[in-house]
Amino acid sequence: MADINIVQEHQLAPEQARAAAQQVADKLAEQFELACRWDGDVLRFERSGVNGSLTLRPNQAQVQIALGFPISMMAGQVEAKVSEKMRALFVA
């Protein structure tokens, strides 16, 4: 199993941060066929072989993803795509 942990600083208002998180989730759902749901300030996502969360905090968003095998073989690509999307949407 591969784990991905990305922390992105931001200066967004809570509503803007939530909208940015939803955009990240929508992109993940589209690319990796994930089911997503909000649990307070935590956006949880999952599918067979993948589960994770995007947690919103004041001035910070954190994504944690656990990849099962065989998806773990693509961990580098997944991390790069998520990191790129986080930087673009949570402009610090």
Side-chain angles (χ1 to χ4, degrees):
M1 183 174 302
D3 292 324
I4 297 171
N5 186 35
I6 301 167
V7 176
Q8 178 65 49
E9 302 295 324
H10 69 81
Q11 298 298 319
L12 302 175
E15 314 80 47
Q16 293 171 310
R18 190 175 181 99
Q22 187 63 57
Q23 287 184 46
V24 171
D26 291 346
K27 190 67 168 175
L28 288 172
E30 175 186 318
Q31 289 183 328
F32 302 105
E33 300 176 7
L34 299 172
C36 303
R37 65 176 164 67
W38 282 99
D39 183 10
D41 286 336
V42 179
L43 181 59
R44 302 194 186 282
F45 48 89
E46 64 186 331
R47 70 163 252 192
S48 179
V50 178
N51 67 58
S53 63
L54 192 161
T55 304
L56 295 176
R57 296 185 181 94
N59 303 318
Q60 188 181 77
Q62 179 179 15
V63 173
Q64 295 179 300
I65 305 171
L67 301 173
F69 189 83
I71 298 172
S72 63
M73 308 267 257
M74 300 184 325
Q77 293 171 304
V78 172
E79 184 170 9
K81 286 183 185 231
V82 173
S83 184
E84 177 183 332
K85 194 69 170 169
M86 293 280 289
R87 277 193 307 276
L89 293 172
F90 289 97
V91 178

